[in-house]
Amino acid sequence: MKSTQATQEEYFSFLRSVSLLRDLPEEKLAKIVDCLEIDYFDKGEYIIREGEEGNTFFIIAKGEVCVTQTTEGCTEPQEIKTLGVGDYFGEKALISEDVRSANIISTENDTQCLVVDRDNFNQMVGTYEELQAYLKEYVEELSRCDERRNFS
Ligand code: WNU
């Protein structure tokens, strides 16, 4: 990411406030700030499409998104939750080595996401066992939620 020193520091302290990254070592967090991209989305815009390949992890810096998913017996994807500032998404395709498992749609204009690519995500997670274990468990729980939604 090319940005001023001040912006770098803003992202650094923002990332520090994200619960997932709270305990990451200083230099890891600084490295993430260095390779961040920022993406902007308008209301209604798809950030992630279910079934597509994905190589990125997102952290919401501004705005709100909703998560929808194809559900057995429904013609339209069903809304399963909304996420806001400090929440993150897109980890599942990276961890499960699978396609995107839900849609992520911006519900506001000027939603801003910090985007981490697969290599940097692996570096961030791979070097930190607790984070890896936490995310793995969470991803398995999401799969169970998906099953429950479809077979009940
Ligand atoms: C859900 N089922 C599925 C969410 C975000 C982060 C965590 C929950 Cl740690 P992806 C689509 C993304 C997926 C998840 C996100 O949607 N998601 C869900 C569910 O019930 N996905 N299958 N809830 S919000 C959320 C926990 O990040 O990752 O790469 O793309 O498959």
Side-chain angles (χ1 to χ4, degrees):
M1 182 183 68
K2 283 203 179 64
S3 59
T4 61
Q5 181 77 28
T7 319
Q8 295 271 37
E9 275 161 22
E10 271 173 38
Y11 285 122
F12 189 90
S13 57
F14 169 69
L15 288 176
R16 191 54 96 201
S17 78
V18 175
S19 60
L20 183 74
L21 308 176
R22 198 180 44 203
D23 300 326
L24 270 192
E26 191 98 343
E27 67 274 15
K28 284 281 166 219
L29 210 57
K31 191 135 186 264
I32 297 170
V33 173
D34 277 340
C35 38
L36 274 182
E37 298 278 341
I38 304 149
D39 259 351
Y40 304 82
F41 301 93
D42 281 335
K43 186 172 177 165
E45 210 177 325
Y46 277 69
I47 303 171
I48 284 180
R49 277 181 201 274
E50 192 177 352
E52 286 189 350
E53 268 173 45
N55 292 298
T56 43
F57 172 71
F58 298 81
I59 302 162
I60 304 171
K62 180 172 183 284
E64 200 182 73
V65 306
C66 80
V67 186
T68 74
Q69 194 179 46
T70 306
T71 310
E72 200 96 344
C74 303
T75 48
E76 294 290 316
Q78 299 299 294
E79 186 169 330
I80 53 185
K81 65 195 79 160
T82 63
L83 304 174
V85 173
D87 289 334
Y88 46 88
F89 55 89
E91 77 302 328
K92 194 170 189 299
L94 300 181
I95 290 172
S96 318
E97 305 272 349
D98 203 350
V99 295
R100 297 299 194 185
S101 56
N103 300 296
I104 306 282
I105 306 159
S106 174
T107 56
E108 288 180 10
N109 283 323
D110 199 33
T111 290
Q112 297 180 15
C113 294
L114 309 184
V115 189
V116 181
D117 70 22
R118 183 187 288 269
D119 284 348
N120 291 311
F121 178 80
N122 284 340
Q123 281 206 27
M124 167 178 108
V125 170
T127 49
Y128 197 58
E129 260 170 60
E130 281 159 70
L131 191 58
Q132 194 166 25
Y134 175 83
L135 280 174
K136 257 211 163 109
E137 208 162 293
Y138 211 146
V139 161
E140 283 164 18
E141 173 62 17
L142 290 183
S143 294
R144 286 193 291 274
C145 290
D146 293 352
E147 279 179 38
R148 244 176 276 135
R149 232 174 273 122
N150 280 294
F151 305 108
S152 56

